Amino acid sequence: MKGRDVVLGLLMEKELSGYDIKMVFEEIFTHFFDGSFGMIYPTLRQLEKDGKIRKEVVMQDGKPNKKMFFITDEGRKEFQQYLQSDVEKEVLRSDFLMRMYFGKYSDVSTIQKWMEEEIKRKEADIEDLLSKYETWKKGITFEEEVSLEIGIATYTAEVETLKRKLTQLKKKDALE
Amino acid sequence: MKGRDVVLGLLMEKELSGYDIKMVFEEIFTHFFDGSFGMIYPTLRQLEKDGKIRKEVVMQDGKPNKKMFFITDEGRKEFQQYLQSDVEKEVLRSDFLMRMYFGKYSDVSTIQKWMEEEIKRKEADIEDLLSKYETWKKGITFEEEVSLEIGIATYTAEVETLKRKLTQLKKKDALE
DNA sequence: GCTGACATGTAAGCAGTTACATGATTAT
DNA sequence: ATAATCATGTAACTGCTTACATGTCAGC
């Protein structure tokens, strides 16, 4: 799965501008995908050159003009090909878990601070996903629901584990 | 957190060869970090050039010679600097969750297959983490325990969610 | 006049990956 | 012989990020 596949996938439903795409990345994909403007605009340009999408300039009032991109039949074909490829293994890169692994080179108060920060980050993520769930509840597809519920469940499990371990750490620290 | 920081971190404890480092990446960091030989060897070369590590060639019998790398005081300093930097937000890139989101462009049997495959992958990951837990139990540090338990808890939560949603999907499918 | 949301883009660089290339040694 | 494990490396490429650059329009 590349940025290109995701951009095509979003255009499958309706035409979007580069800016719109960035908004979707931030609102919906935050917990399992990321993409910057520096990736989006060059990708759109390349897709247009390849005949996978076409452009229409739309005048707006009250806002600057935008360039809307529509997927072509060629583009739909490419997206279907992506869906037929093997599912890639998920990639996680966690600085927090790495620091846990290297914990012996830090002191207990630092470890504790990192764990508390991670709990806060993840609790905020859970809040965010729950509010999305509430907002979309009506129109949501089964599969979108799966992606949301997995996010909520895994973050919740992480927070619970962290809170349990934090209590252990504090007990251990008080004894010494 | 870059590959460079992780390599230095591993050398904090004891000297290792490039090959040894790769083995650690595969055995211990699998679920939150990845690094190839193509990253490891150039990184070691650069670290040596920068005076952060030094090399010693070790003859082995029964095996090819290896180049062992030792961290220097300069190197320890750089690693401590990494530990003092802000914890980076974790990055997840999941092709599986993306396909869930784009589920409406696939059929139910494909979605079901993807979910079943993901359950299998994650169950294998859980088994793997549990066996590591058993193997290391005695010598494990508190922080290593945290990183293992988070892995086990989050994967378990994902598998449970997927199984629940899969049951829902099958019921829904049977009704239609 | 300035801030903030909306909007588009480029260029340089980075942190890797992928594919290739080589070779020792042991076990089958 | 030949596969498997151990071992080291390079070169080309890629898919992005970061920083920069520019501009519109609304509301305060």
Side-chain angles (χ1 to χ4, degrees), chain B residues 5-18:
Chain B
D5 302 316
V6 180
V7 168
L8 276 178
L10 289 177
L11 296 177
M12 287 286 285
E13 183 153 17
K14 66 168 193 288
E15 72 276 13
L16 295 167
S17 68

Side-chain angles (χ1 to χ4, degrees), chain A residues 17-19 41 45 60 63-64 66-67 93:
Chain A
S17 69
Y19 193 82
Y41 288 114
R45 173 203 268 260
Q60 299 189 109
K63 287 176 194 173
K66 48 159 91 183
K67 296 177 183 172
R93 184 174 260 243

Side-chain angles (χ1 to χ4, degrees), chain A residues 130-146:
Chain A
L130 284 173
S131 80
K132 275 170 190 163
Y133 208 175
E134 282 308 303
T135 315
W136 303 338
K137 222 176 5 201
K138 301 161 216 164
I140 208 170
T141 67
F142 173 79
E143 293 83 7
E144 286 166 345
E145 207 174 80
V146 172

Side-chain angles (χ1 to χ4, degrees), chain A residues 141-143, chain B residues 106-109 112 168-176:
Chain A
T141 67
F142 173 79
E143 293 83 7
Chain B
S106 299
D107 49 55
V108 179
S109 66
Q112 214 170 295
Q168 280 178 25
L169 182 63
K170 281 176 181 167
K171 259 186 206 147
K172 225 185 70 182
D173 199 37
L175 283 174
E176 280 156 21

Side-chain angles (χ1 to χ4, degrees), chain B residues 2-155:
Chain B
K2 291 168 199 149
R4 181 172 169 118
D5 302 316
V6 180
V7 168
L8 276 178
L10 289 177
L11 296 177
M12 287 286 285
E13 183 153 17
K14 66 168 193 288
E15 72 276 13
L16 295 167
S17 68
Y19 192 82
D20 293 338
I21 289 170
K22 175 71 176 158
M23 295 305 104
V24 176
F25 284 4
E26 274 168 20
E27 279 215 3
I28 301 171
F29 296 156
T30 19
H31 70 295
F32 59 87
F33 184 79
D34 194 19
S36 63
F37 282 124
M39 168 276 230
I40 293 167
Y41 287 114
T43 299
L44 286 169
R45 173 201 267 258
Q46 190 58 46
L47 281 169
E48 198 192 1
K49 203 178 132 199
D50 296 346
K52 307 300 171 87
I53 60 177
R54 65 184 172 73
K55 183 170 58 192
E56 250 174 56
V57 180
V58 174
M59 310 291 173
Q60 300 187 106
D61 49 276
K63 286 177 195 171
N65 301 338
K66 50 158 90 181
K67 297 179 182 171
M68 300 302 281
F69 292 91
F70 297 75
I71 194 163
T72 63
D73 288 346
E74 282 279 282
R76 288 180 193 277
K77 223 153 99 187
E78 182 175 326
F79 183 70
Q80 287 302 332
Q81 264 161 28
Y82 153 64
L83 288 182
Q84 273 150 42
S85 69
D86 287 345
V87 179
E88 282 167 44
K89 211 189 161 288
E90 87 174 16
V91 177
L92 174 65
R93 184 174 260 244
S94 170
D95 192 16
F96 170 71
L97 287 174
M98 192 57 85
R99 285 174 201 234
M100 287 299 106
Y101 181 77
F102 288 132
K104 57 189 150 197
Y105 308 116
S106 299
D107 49 55
V108 179
S109 66
T110 306
I111 300 287
Q112 214 170 295
K113 192 191 75 187
W114 286 340
M115 288 173 78
E116 279 160 1
E117 280 171 4
E118 179 73 3
I119 288 171
K120 266 189 204 135
R121 268 194 296 269
K122 285 288 146 71
E123 278 179 339
D125 289 339
I126 293 168
E127 275 314 300
D128 184 49
L129 290 179
L130 283 174
S131 80
K132 274 170 191 165
Y133 208 176
E134 281 308 304
T135 314
W136 302 339
K137 223 176 4 203
K138 302 161 216 163
I140 208 171
T141 66
F142 173 78
E143 293 83 7
E144 286 167 346
E145 210 175 78
V146 172
S147 75
L148 269 178
E149 285 187 29
I150 287 177
I152 294 165
T154 55
Y155 288 165

